[in-house]
Amino acid sequence: MRDSSCQSSFRRILPLAAALTLIAVLISAAGCNPPPPRRAARGAARSAAAPAQPVQMLDYLHPEHIGAPIGKMPWIAHLIAVDLDQDGLLDVVACEGQENKVVWIRQVSRGKYEEQVLPCDVKAPVHVEAADMDGDGDLDLLISCMGVVFPNNDQIGTVTILENLGGGRWAQHDVLEHTSRVTDIRAGDLNGDGKIDLAVGQFGYDQGEIRWLERTGPWEFKPHVLLELSGDINVGIADFDGDHRPDIVAQISQQWEEIYLFQNRGGGEFERKRIWSSSNEDYGSSGMVVVDLNRDGKPDVLFSNGDGFGPAVVPGPRPYHGVQWLENRGQGNFYYHRIGDMYGAYNPVAIDLDQDGNLDVVVVSAFIEKDSQGNPLPSLAWFRNDGRLGFEKRILAYRPQDQLTLAAGDFDGNGKPCLVTGGFYVFNPAEYMGRVTLWRR
Amino acid sequence: MKPSNKRFRWILIAVVLCAIGAGGAGWWWRSYRPKAIATAALPPRPDLAGMPSQLRDRIREADDAVVAGRDSIESLAELSRLYHANGHLAEARQCYEGLEKLDPREGRWYYRHAMIVAGFGEMDSAVALLRKATEIDPSYLPARLRLGDILLKDNKVDEAIAVFDGAQSRDPGEPYSLLGLARCDMDRALWQAAREKLERVVQATNYALGYDLIVPVYERLGLQDRAAEIRGRMKAWGAFRDMADPWMEELNADSYDAFQLSVVAGAMKVRGDRNAARTLLERSVSLAPNNAALHFQYAMLLVDLSELPKAKTELERCTVLDPTFADGWAYLSGVISTMGDNVGAQRVFAEGLARCPNSPGLHRMQANQLRAMGRIDEAVREYRESIRLRPTEAEPYIELGMTLMSAGRTADGLKEFENALVAEPENPMVLTTLAFNAIQTHDETAARQWLDRARKQPRVLPDDIQRLVGAFRQTFGREP
C-alpha cells in the first residue's frame, strides 16, 4: 500500500516536476547562461543607412579648364553639354549669374574650345536648356532668369527664349516677365496640339509657382498655374504614367521639401500629387533630373539634397545630405531609394562613367568647406552602380571647390564619357577655384 | 507518515518549486530579456575617429553597458540620444527600434524614430510611429501636428484634416494646425476656406506663419490689392518658423556637433526663443572655441539681447580667430560705437579694413563715413571700390548715386541709379527716385514710365506713390 501510495503521488507530481524541470532548463539556457550578445546588422535602417568609407579615386578623371579665364569670382549657376551648332562636336552652354551672361564654350575643333557670350539681355540667368522651339531644325535656348540670385521676393523673373536664327545670329523673346524668379524651363507638347509648350519652375522666394505655358503663337504663350509654392529647383517632362502624354515633375525646396507629379489628363488638364516629400524643412533639396536609372523603360526621378544654407552664419553639412532616386513603379507610383550620403550635394547626373553597362550617378558639391570634424569635403563624387542598383561612393575630386553644376557627354568623340562642371563662389575666393572644368578619363 | 501528509509534503515541494520557477522566469524576464532585446538592437559602433573624446567615451560606455546588460533601457536610450544628436541616424534608428520593444510606453522613442524616417520620406513608417506616439501621449502637440503634416504630404488629405481638427479641438486657434488645415483647403482648391484660416494664422502670429500662402490665396480670389500689400512688406521674408518641439530639442544637450547646434540655435532665434538659442550657442562655442563664425553668431544674439559688453568680447575673439572675416570687424566697430566709444570704433574699423582690403562691406561703410564727413571724392572712390568687389548689390550704387547727386553731379548719379536697377531690377528706392527725377526734369514720358513701374512694385509705399502722383499732377497739370 505504501509503495503504491508513493507511486500514485509520484505519478501525480510527475507532470508538475517535468514542467518545473523544463522551466529550469529554459532559465538555464536562456537566462543563467545567455548566448553571447548579437548586435543588429548594419543597414537595417534602409533610408538612413550608415555609409561605408568612400573610395578615393582622385586620378580617375583629369580636369582641364575650358572657356574664358577666371576673372571675378565665377558664378556658373548652370551648364549643359550640347552640340549647339550641330557640327558633331559637343559644346558647353553656361549661365554666368553674376555677369548676367549666357556663354557658349564652343568646341571649334576636337579638344579646342573658344568661349563667346551669346547676345542676350538677361538678368541673373541660372538655368539653360536647348530645344528646337520653332521647328526649324536648329537648337534654341530656354533661359531661366531669376532677376537677382540672392533672396528676393520681387516679381523679377523672366522666361527667355533665345531663338537661333543661324549663322551665329540670335533673337531674344521674353515670353513671361515680371513673375516670380524663374529657375527651370523645359519644352514639350503638353496639350497635344502639336506645338511646343513649356513647363516652368519658379523659385520666387516667399511665393513661387509651377506653371505650364501654353503656346498660343510663334513666341506667345498663355500661362497656367499648376502649383503655388515657393522653392522650385527643377522641373522635368516625361510620360511617367505610361499613358503616352507628357507629365511634369517638380522638385520643391524651401520649407516644403516635396516632389510633385502633374499627371497630364489631356486637353491641358493636369492632376497633381506628391510623389515624395520630407518632413524635414531643412532637407535642402538641390537638384533633380529625370532618367530611367533601372532601365525598365519607365522614367525615374534622381534627386539630391545638399543645400547647407540656413540659420547659421555659414552654410554647413547636414547628416542627411545626399543623393536618392524615386523608382517609377507605374501608374504614378514611386518608391524611394537612398543612393548615398554627400554633404553639399547638387545637380546629380546619371551616366555610365566606367562603361560597364550600368548607369552610375555623379554629383557635385558646393558651399560647404569642411565636415564637422574639420575634414575637407569632396567637390565631385561618383556613386558607382554595382549592376544591382547598389551604389558605392567614390571620391573623384576635392578641387576645384564649390562646383555647383554638372553635365556629362562624349566631348572627345571616342565613346568615353566626360564630365563638365561649373564653379560658383558666393563669399570669398576659394583656395582652389574653377570656372568651367572638363573632366576626362 | 500518513499518505496524506506525504502527499501534502509533495504538493508543498511542488508549490515551492513552482514559485522558484516563476520567480526565476520573472527574474529572467526583467533582467535578461531587456538585455537580449537591447543587445539585438545595438548597432555596430560607427567610425568615431575625429569625434570629440567625450562623445566617443560616452558612446563606448553606453555601448558596453548594453552589452553587459547594465540598465539596458537607460543605456540604449543614452546611445539613441548620442547617435541621433550627433548625426548617426541609422544607428539612432536601430536604437529606437529596440527601445520601442523595451519601453513601449514612452512616446519619445516612436516620435524621434518617426522624425528620422519622415525626414527621408518614408511616410508609411512615420505615420505608424506617430500614431503610436500620439496614442501614448495625446497631449504632445508636435506629434499631432507632424502626423497631420505627414499625412498631407502623403496625399491623405482627409486623414490629415481629421488630425488637424483634433489638434484644433484640443487647442482652438492653434496656428500650426490651422495652417495645416489651410494647406488641406488649398490642396482641394477651397480658396475661401483657406483664406479664412490663413487670415486667422497671420493675425495670431503677426505674419510669422502663413505669409507665404495667403498671397496666392488672395490672388486666386481676385484680391490683388491685399496680395500686393503683403508682398510689399518685405524684400524677402525668409525662414520658416518651426514649432517648439521639446522631445527633439532635448537631444541638443547630447550634441557635440558645434555646427548643428548653431543651426538649431539659429532656428530658435528666428522662432523668437532667444534664451534657448543662447544656451545652445554657449554650448556650441564651448565645443569649438576656435571657430570664428560661432563667436560671431553668438555675438549677434547678444546684440539682440542688448548685452553689448559680452557681444564685444565675442566679436573681439572672432576677429582674433579670423582676422579676414570682415563682418566681425564691421560689427565690432558698430558695437563699440553704440557703447559710446567712437574713437575706439574708428580704430577697430580701420584695422578691419587693413586686414580685409577686399571686403565690399567695409569699403561701403568707409564710404558712408567719408560722405558724412563731407569728403565726397574719397567717398566716391570707396563706393566704386565696394561696387567693383561686389557688383551684384543695389545699395552701394544707390548710395553712390545719391552722393554724386548731392554733389551736383546729377547725370553721374542717375547713371548709378540705372546701374542699381541692373543689380536689382525693381528696387523701390531707385524706381521712386528715377520717377521723381523725371518729374523734376519735366520729362513726362519718362515720368509716366517710372511711375508705372513704381506702382507695380508692392514695396513702394502708398504714401510715396501719392507724393509722386501729386508732384506729377502739379508739374504736368494732369493725372499720370
Side-chain angles (χ1 to χ4, degrees):
Chain A
M1 281 301 288
R2 188 177 157 184
D3 287 343
S4 71
S5 172
C6 279
Q7 280 169 3
S8 168
S9 299
F10 186 76
R11 271 198 304 274
R12 263 179 273 157
I13 222 76
L14 189 62
L16 183 61
L20 287 170
T21 307
L22 184 61
I23 289 169
V25 168
L26 281 173
I27 290 171
S28 166
C32 297
N33 294 299
R38 295 198 315 176
R39 286 168 184 266
R42 184 185 291 279
R46 172 167 55 84
S47 59
Q53 284 299 313
V55 179
Q56 308 261 349
M57 296 184 70
L58 303 181
D59 295 327
Y60 192 72
L61 296 175
H62 305 286
E64 177 196 342
H65 176 88
I66 59 171
I70 296 175
K72 295 175 186 170
M73 287 192 298
W75 279 23
I76 302 298
H78 185 243
L79 54 72
I80 52 172
V82 59
D83 181 5
L84 190 59
D85 53 0
Q86 296 172 310
D87 65 352
L89 301 172
L90 207 53
D91 312 312
V92 176
V93 178
C95 295
E96 219 304 341
Q98 180 169 218
E99 297 180 348
N100 299 321
K101 290 176 184 169
V102 178
V103 299
W104 175 20
I105 303 175
R106 184 175 167 232
Q107 190 171 184
V108 291
S109 59
R110 184 64 71 194
K112 190 176 176 211
Y113 295 85
E114 287 178 2
E115 179 170 322
Q116 58 181 281
V117 178
L118 291 171
C120 54
D121 178 14
V122 289
K123 292 194 172 63
V126 295
H127 194 103
V128 61
E129 291 291 328
D132 181 6
M133 289 298 295
D134 49 7
D136 63 357
D138 58 24
L139 289 171
D140 309 300
L141 293 174
L142 312 174
I143 304 168
S144 306
C145 300
M146 292 186 87
V148 172
V149 170
F150 283 106
N152 190 312
N153 195 45
D154 287 346
Q155 294 184 298
I156 50 179
T158 307
V159 173
T160 296
I161 302 174
L162 205 55
E163 179 191 2
N164 189 344
L165 300 173
R169 292 176 306 120
W170 301 83
Q172 180 170 347
H173 307 277
D174 294 335
V175 301
L176 182 67
E177 297 179 88
H178 306 295
T179 189
S180 301
R181 299 184 306 161
V182 180
T183 41
D184 198 358
I185 311 165
R186 306 285 169 143
D189 179 7
L190 295 170
N191 56 356
D193 65 356
K195 293 182 283 198
I196 301 296
D197 310 299
L198 299 173
V200 181
Q202 298 181 247
F203 189 100
Y205 193 71
D206 296 321
Q207 287 84 35
E209 294 91 22
I210 306 295
R211 296 174 198 256
W212 75 279
L213 300 187
E214 179 186 2
R215 193 78 167 263
T216 55
W219 303 105
E220 290 80 41
F221 293 83
K222 181 181 176 188
H224 304 272
V225 174
L226 295 169
L227 178 73
E228 288 124 327
L229 285 182
S230 58
D232 177 78
I233 302 292
N234 285 124
V235 290
I237 296 178
D239 177 15
F240 288 97
D241 53 9
D243 65 357
H244 307 293
R245 286 189 287 258
D247 308 303
I248 300 170
V249 65
Q251 182 188 36
I252 309 291
S253 62
Q254 291 289 69
Q255 66 267 40
W256 316 112
E257 300 295 352
E258 294 170 341
I259 295 179
Y260 281 83
L261 175 66
F262 302 92
Q263 283 178 277
N264 192 335
R265 297 305 186 205
E269 295 298 317
F270 291 85
E271 189 177 309
R272 79 175 181 215
K273 70 184 280 196
R274 297 170 195 83
I275 57 171
W276 180 87
S277 54
S278 170
S279 66
N280 180 357
E281 53 96 11
D282 189 42
Y283 198 66
S285 290
S286 58
M288 179 197 72
V289 66
V290 177
V291 60
D292 182 7
L293 195 63
N294 57 358
R295 292 182 161 157
D296 66 351
K298 298 193 286 287
D300 307 304
V301 178
L302 172 66
F303 66 105
S304 62
N305 62 308
D307 181 346
F309 288 87
V313 172
V314 291
R318 311 287 201 274
Y320 35 81
H321 279 176
V323 194
Q324 48 260 298
W325 68 290
L326 297 178
E327 179 190 355
N328 186 349
R329 295 191 165 175
Q331 308 300 317
N333 297 309
F334 293 80
Y335 188 77
Y336 174 89
H337 300 271
R338 183 77 168 177
I339 290 174
D341 296 342
M342 175 86 171
Y343 293 138
Y346 280 88
N347 209 170
V349 164
I351 184 161
D352 183 4
L353 192 62
D354 55 359
Q355 297 178 286
D356 66 352
N358 304 310
L359 274 178
D360 309 305
V361 173
V362 185
V363 67
V364 283
S365 171
F367 309 133
I368 301 175
E369 282 182 31
K370 292 175 180 172
D371 66 16
S372 53
Q373 283 86 56
N375 303 308
L377 294 175
S379 55
L380 182 63
W382 168 29
F383 291 89
R384 185 181 169 275
N385 184 345
D386 63 8
R388 297 181 304 279
L389 294 163
F391 293 88
E392 183 187 55
K393 184 177 177 181
R394 298 178 173 199
I395 293 172
L396 296 176
Y398 287 90
R399 58 183 73 157
Q401 299 157 289
D402 293 332
Q403 299 299 286
L404 183 66
T405 175
L406 166 69
D410 179 10
F411 280 85
D412 294 334
N414 58 6
K416 288 185 181 176
C418 299
L419 304 177
V420 59
T421 61
F424 194 111
Y425 302 89
V426 179
F427 304 113
N428 299 316
E431 193 174 358
Y432 304 103
M433 289 204 292
R435 187 170 176 269
V436 177
T437 306
L438 181 65
W439 304 78
R440 288 193 175 90
R441 278 184 63 193
Chain B
M1 191 177 279
K2 287 182 181 175
S4 60
N5 287 346
K6 209 183 270 181
R7 200 161 46 242
F8 176 74
R9 195 170 62 194
W10 273 108
I11 289 167
L12 192 65
I13 290 168
V15 168
V16 168
L17 283 173
C18 273
I20 291 169
W27 171 75
W28 172 80
W29 188 259
R30 288 172 60 86
S31 305
Y32 284 104
R33 184 181 171 274
K35 179 183 175 182
I37 293 171
T39 308
L42 199 59
R45 212 178 288 172
D47 179 11
L48 300 174
M51 296 278 183
S53 59
Q54 203 182 346
L55 173 61
R56 285 203 308 266
D57 292 346
R58 284 183 66 189
I59 287 178
R60 195 173 50 244
E61 283 166 20
D63 198 289
D64 290 346
V66 171
V67 172
R70 292 194 304 272
D71 299 325
S72 294
I73 295 175
E74 184 40 50
S75 301
L76 194 60
E78 161 100 342
L79 261 186
S80 75
R81 288 194 303 271
L82 291 169
Y83 282 139
H84 198 163
N86 293 285
H88 294 278
L89 303 181
E91 288 80 3
R93 183 173 174 174
Q94 287 184 224
C95 291
Y96 291 134
E97 284 166 1
L99 286 163
E100 288 154 15
K101 291 177 192 152
L102 285 170
D103 187 15
R105 299 309 303 163
E106 174 54 65
R108 282 171 175 78
W109 314 141
Y110 301 95
Y111 183 72
R112 290 175 182 163
H113 188 175
M115 289 297 92
I116 294 176
V117 298
F120 289 97
E122 289 180 38
M123 297 315 193
D124 288 346
S125 305
V127 165
L129 290 162
L130 285 171
R131 287 204 190 280
K132 189 77 183 166
T134 53
E135 188 185 302
I136 292 168
D137 189 347
S139 67
Y140 192 64
L141 184 64
R144 289 175 170 274
L145 297 175
R146 307 279 188 210
L147 176 59
D149 189 47
I150 286 167
L151 288 166
L152 172 62
K153 282 174 176 282
D154 204 23
N155 303 300
K156 293 168 179 154
V157 180
D158 290 340
E159 291 178 60
I161 290 170
V163 171
F164 288 132
D165 275 339
Q168 276 293 300
S169 60
R170 283 179 163 268
D171 188 356
E174 193 287 318
Y176 283 97
S177 48
L178 211 47
L179 184 67
L181 286 168
R183 271 203 89 188
C184 293
D185 288 336
M186 290 177 73
D187 233 50
R188 297 182 299 171
L190 301 173
W191 304 109
Q192 184 58 34
R195 172 194 170 183
E196 286 162 12
K197 293 179 182 77
L198 287 168
E199 284 179 341
R200 289 171 63 195
V201 170
V202 297
Q203 200 160 27
T205 65
N206 193 24
Y207 287 86
L209 288 179
Y211 62 93
D212 40 10
L213 297 180
I214 201 167
V215 170
V217 168
Y218 279 145
E219 287 169 345
R220 281 275 185 174
L221 292 168
L223 302 167
Q224 309 300 339
D225 289 349
R226 290 198 185 195
E229 190 269 321
I230 296 167
R231 279 186 186 276
R233 291 181 179 206
M234 199 70 84
K235 178 176 169 181
W237 199 280
F240 173 66
R241 281 84 170 155
D242 204 357
M243 69 193 87
D245 189 345
W247 283 0
M248 291 303 289
E249 287 160 18
E250 285 166 5
L251 295 173
N252 294 323
D254 292 299
S255 174
Y256 291 84
D257 187 330
F259 177 75
Q260 295 302 332
L261 286 169
S262 77
V263 171
V264 179
M268 285 177 167
K269 185 183 170 193
V270 169
R271 198 174 75 201
D273 196 347
R274 291 185 294 188
N275 288 326
R278 179 189 189 140
T279 304
L280 292 191
L281 280 175
E282 282 170 352
R283 179 169 168 76
S284 177
V285 167
S286 72
L287 288 166
N290 295 325
N291 185 322
L294 295 178
H295 287 279
F296 181 80
Q297 188 177 349
Y298 184 33
M300 293 299 93
L301 181 67
L302 291 168
V303 168
D304 271 12
L305 292 164
S306 303
E307 296 187 27
L308 296 187
K310 282 186 183 172
K312 176 172 170 267
T313 304
E314 291 300 319
L315 287 166
E316 284 168 345
R317 184 78 188 128
C318 170
T319 55
V320 168
L321 289 168
D322 186 358
T324 66
F325 183 50
D327 284 359
W329 294 104
Y331 280 88
L332 177 58
S333 172
V335 165
I336 292 171
S337 174
T338 308
M339 290 169 74
D341 180 3
N342 288 328
V343 175
Q346 191 54 44
R347 182 176 43 75
V348 163
F349 181 79
E351 188 180 349
L353 198 53
R355 300 271 197 159
C356 310
N358 291 321
S359 163
L362 290 179
H363 282 287
R364 184 179 157 206
M365 285 176 71
Q366 174 85 327
N368 286 337
Q369 289 173 10
L370 289 165
R371 186 179 67 173
M373 289 187 277
R375 294 160 63 179
I376 300 301
D377 289 345
E378 293 167 82
V380 167
R381 272 200 299 277
E382 287 297 314
Y383 281 127
R384 291 206 192 284
E385 180 63 1
S386 176
I387 289 166
R388 185 187 70 77
L389 291 164
R390 188 184 290 155
T392 54
E393 288 184 359
E395 286 73 17
Y397 294 104
I398 294 170
E399 288 160 1
L400 173 58
M402 289 170 69
T403 305
L404 290 167
M405 288 170 82
S406 67
R409 296 165 60 182
T410 306
D412 290 342
L414 288 173
K415 194 166 167 19
E416 296 305 330
F417 274 88
E418 283 163 14
N419 289 334
L421 277 191
V422 175
E424 188 185 337
E426 300 298 325
N427 181 285
M429 185 166 186
V430 176
L431 296 180
T432 49
T433 304
L434 291 175
F436 188 69
N437 177 71
I439 293 167
Q440 273 199 319
T441 55
H442 296 267
D443 183 345
E444 186 174 347
T445 306
R448 279 185 193 280
Q449 285 170 354
W450 289 119
L451 189 51
D452 184 49
R453 279 179 72 173
R455 280 173 154 161
K456 286 177 181 162
Q457 165 57 286
R459 287 195 289 133
V460 176
L461 298 173
D463 285 353
D464 288 345
I465 295 291
Q466 285 311 310
R467 269 193 283 275
L468 284 170
V469 169
F472 186 99
R473 199 183 293 125
Q474 196 170 14
T475 302
F476 301 111
R478 50 186 159 263
E479 293 297 316

